[in-house]
Amino acid sequence: MDCKIIFSDVDGTLLNGERTLSEMTISEVKRVKDKIPFVLVSSRMPKQMSYLQKMLDTLDLPVIAYNGALVLDEGNVLHSTEINLELIEKIVSYNEQKFNNKIHISLYHNDLWYAPEYDFWAMREENNTKAKPEILSNREVLSEWKKQNIGAHKLMLMGDQALIEQMFSHLNENFSEKLHIYRAKDTYIEVADVKVSKLTGINVLLNQKYNYSLKETMAFGDNYNDMEMIQGVGYGIAVANAREEVKKIAYGLTFHHKEDGVAKYLFSFFKGIL
């Protein structure tokens, strides 16, 4: 068998319409994981994935968080790339001056999530990811991080679609050489350091933990931030709800995430093998 390890995006790919794991998905992952590692790779923070790992019985396996900016193996940091404070401060200042802080900016470092207030956006993210933020203004976080000499693994900008459109254009015009800027939804922007992607996270694990090649790797995804991963691995699989750009570069297609697409592909691909 030439597939030795599996990576899966979470939101819009592995989770069902209720934003949780279906019984079929849990069953299929448990069926394959002992012989073929099943690793979550997401823009989420680690603890927003640990409850899913617990459901899948994969807590002993690594996770790739923040679109590849942080790679952990049972809590040990294998790789970490942060957005420097100078860039964060410029984005925060622009939000203050241009939008009067009407765009919600959440700041993430490892398992810390700082939201400027417990507003609609913070509550929505908490509901979606089962993690609760600490409430601290962007300026207070920056002040603390300066003392600690740390940066952010991810910024999440959330707000009205029209404001997010303007901010997205500004970020691309001014920071595209230093930052990855993903339009996750019409009302969301995710920001990470330009040097990282889900594929760089996969390469960290292949180089440091698993002696496999990219050709022996399978990955599932749906969105723009999955494209490099889908194209780079041996078996890049897009769910039916994936962006058309993702489908075009995928090795294979599977069912919609609301129809257990990942589980059904695992069942079909490994039928008679495991």
Side-chain angles (χ1 to χ4, degrees), residues 20-31:
T20 189
L21 296 167
S22 72
E23 288 301 319
M24 183 178 184
T25 296
I26 293 170
S27 175
E28 275 305 300
V29 171
K30 285 184 174 181
R31 184 175 71 88

Side-chain angles (χ1 to χ4, degrees), residues 102-116:
K102 289 181 180 177
I103 291 178
H104 172 118
I105 302 179
S106 275
L107 305 173
Y108 296 83
H109 177 88
N110 206 321
D111 258 338
L112 297 173
W113 168 23
Y114 294 104

Side-chain angles (χ1 to χ4, degrees), residues 121-168:
W121 302 105
M123 288 186 280
R124 183 175 175 173
E125 270 302 287
E126 180 182 352
N127 180 64
N128 289 344
T129 63
K130 316 305 179 191
K132 192 174 185 67
E134 294 188 41
I135 307 304
L136 209 61
S137 75
N138 293 157
R139 288 293 176 184
E140 290 174 305
V141 176
L142 288 171
S143 177
E144 286 299 312
W145 282 0
K146 281 180 182 177
K147 296 174 188 176
Q148 300 172 47
N149 193 31
I150 62 174
H153 286 115
K154 185 180 81 167
L155 309 184
M156 178 80 90
L157 288 70
M158 298 171 277
D160 177 79
Q161 182 178 347
L163 299 183
I164 291 295
E165 287 273 5
Q166 294 178 57
M167 177 63 90
F168 187 66

Side-chain angles (χ1 to χ4, degrees), residues 165-191:
E165 287 273 5
Q166 294 178 57
M167 177 63 90
F168 187 66
S169 296
H170 173 77
L171 294 178
N172 276 290
E173 288 169 9
N174 293 275
F175 304 109
S176 61
E177 293 183 359
K178 296 181 179 180
L179 299 173
H180 272 310
I181 304 151
Y182 301 111
R183 190 73 178 274
K185 302 177 184 177
D186 289 341
T187 53
Y188 281 55
I189 303 171
E190 294 177 0
V191 179

Side-chain angles (χ1 to χ4, degrees), residues 69-251:
L70 183 65
V71 182
L72 300 177
D73 185 19
E74 295 189 83
N76 298 312
V77 177
L78 299 185
H79 175 83
S80 174
T81 299
E82 301 167 6
I83 306 167
N84 73 57
L85 289 176
E86 182 181 343
L87 289 176
I88 301 170
E89 190 154 16
K90 287 180 179 179
I91 295 171
V92 168
S93 294
Y94 187 76
N95 186 40
E96 293 169 342
Q97 296 161 15
K98 177 72 174 178
F99 303 113
N100 195 28
N101 278 327
K102 289 181 180 177
I103 291 178
H104 172 118
I105 302 179
S106 275
L107 305 173
Y108 296 83
H109 177 88
N110 206 321
D111 258 338
L112 297 173
W113 168 23
Y114 294 104
E117 57 182 313
Y118 195 60
D119 57 7
F120 166 81
W121 302 105
M123 288 186 280
R124 183 175 175 173
E125 270 302 287
E126 180 182 352
N127 180 64
N128 289 344
T129 63
K130 316 305 179 191
K132 192 174 185 67
E134 294 188 41
I135 307 304
L136 209 61
S137 75
N138 293 157
R139 288 293 176 184
E140 290 174 305
V141 176
L142 288 171
S143 177
E144 286 299 312
W145 282 0
K146 281 180 182 177
K147 296 174 188 176
Q148 300 172 47
N149 193 31
I150 62 174
H153 286 115
K154 185 180 81 167
L155 309 184
M156 178 80 90
L157 288 70
M158 298 171 277
D160 177 79
Q161 182 178 347
L163 299 183
I164 291 295
E165 287 273 5
Q166 294 178 57
M167 177 63 90
F168 187 66
S169 296
H170 173 77
L171 294 178
N172 276 290
E173 288 169 9
N174 293 275
F175 304 109
S176 61
E177 293 183 359
K178 296 181 179 180
L179 299 173
H180 272 310
I181 304 151
Y182 301 111
R183 190 73 178 274
K185 302 177 184 177
D186 289 341
T187 53
Y188 281 55
I189 303 171
E190 294 177 0
V191 179
D193 188 275
V194 74
K195 295 187 294 295
V196 300
S197 70
K198 291 184 177 181
L199 186 63
T200 67
I202 288 172
N203 277 318
V204 166
L205 287 179
L206 297 185
N207 292 333
Q208 295 190 33
K209 184 176 176 70
Y210 300 104
N211 188 27
Y212 306 138
S213 70
L214 281 174
K215 289 182 179 180
E216 297 173 303
T217 299
M218 179 179 289
F220 294 90
D222 73 301
N223 218 330
Y224 296 124
N225 59 335
D226 297 315
M227 289 182 69
E228 189 176 346
M229 171 179 75
I230 293 294
Q231 194 165 34
V233 300
Y235 301 93
I237 313 302
V239 287
N241 54 285
R243 304 275 187 180
E244 288 304 313
E245 295 91 332
V246 180
K247 292 179 183 178
K248 286 178 182 177
I249 61 173
Y251 167 87

